[in-house]
Amino acid sequence: MYQRALQGMEKALYPDHTSTLGTVHNLGRLYKSQGKLDEAEKMYQWALQGYEKALGLENVARYQPALNTIWGLGNLFADQGRLDEAKEMYSRAYTGFQAVLGLSSNQCQQLERCIEILPKQVRVITEAQAGVKVTANIALDHNEKKKCPFVVRKLMRKLLR
């Protein structure tokens, strides 16, 4: 359905229209949830580049749908173990949400937690890659679940398969 909607929006509007880009972002989220990470990244990058082209770099930093796309890229990179890129995206989204919504916003608080737990993800990913049996207490601890549910839960599900 997203692909059909995207085709219609591209015809009725144009590929870099913000409404079209919202559908591209949603398609990226769907692909990510299906484990199609390459396709998800293409959609997120398309959406972000489209927002940058349509709005300009200055305005992208204050446009919530674009900030959600940046955040989505951060989550994707974190899931892939590309933690430097994840931190960059999280920080970029954090700066934008801070400017738009303020430091006390839920978005800023969640992004702070995502950035805070990235070093722990490095340890978990490294241990998993080294073939060390990874215990789930890192992510199953109640406080860690609250810190960044999107990243921690998905990472642990992936590692515990």
Side-chain angles (χ1 to χ4, degrees):
M1 295 308 292
Y2 279 132
Q3 288 187 349
R4 287 180 61 192
L6 180 57
Q7 289 171 357
M9 291 180 126
E10 285 182 301
K11 286 180 184 177
L13 302 170
Y14 52 91
D16 291 333
H17 189 280
T18 55
S19 294
T20 305
L21 297 171
T23 301
V24 172
H25 168 89
N26 288 334
L27 190 54
R29 288 182 60 190
L30 175 65
Y31 285 148
K32 183 177 176 295
S33 71
Q34 293 174 333
K36 299 176 181 177
L37 302 185
D38 289 339
E39 291 92 339
E41 184 173 352
K42 287 176 188 170
M43 293 298 108
Y44 283 136
Q45 293 288 2
W46 173 4
L48 180 56
Q49 290 169 7
Y51 286 130
E52 289 170 347
K53 181 179 176 185
L55 305 170
L57 289 175
E58 187 81 21
N59 293 324
V60 165
R62 298 189 189 309
Y63 186 61
Q64 289 186 45
L67 295 173
N68 288 330
T69 297
I70 294 166
W71 191 347
L73 266 170
N75 288 336
L76 177 72
F77 292 151
D79 284 355
Q80 293 175 318
R82 296 163 59 184
L83 302 180
D84 289 338
E85 293 168 280
K87 185 175 183 178
E88 180 185 336
M89 292 295 115
Y90 287 152
S91 297
R92 204 170 147 192
Y94 177 84
T95 301
F97 280 116
Q98 178 183 355
V100 174
L101 302 174
L103 281 174
S104 62
S105 69
N106 287 336
Q107 290 86 341
C108 284
Q109 291 175 10
Q110 288 180 0
L111 283 161
E112 280 178 3
R113 292 181 197 121
C114 289
I115 292 167
E116 180 183 314
I117 66 164
L118 280 175
K120 293 178 182 177
Q121 286 180 260
V122 170
R123 189 178 86 224
V124 171
I125 290 168
T126 302
E127 289 174 355
Q129 289 171 341
V132 174
K133 183 177 179 186
V134 179
T135 58
N137 63 355
I138 292 172
L140 297 180
D141 175 290
H142 179 70
N143 292 327
E144 292 300 325
K145 274 187 178 178
K146 286 175 64 178
K147 285 188 178 178
C148 190
F150 306 111
V151 177
V152 173
R153 288 186 197 143
K154 288 180 182 177
L155 177 65
M156 290 310 295
R157 268 189 248 135
K158 188 183 220 180
L159 291 173
L160 296 174
R161 284 186 196 160

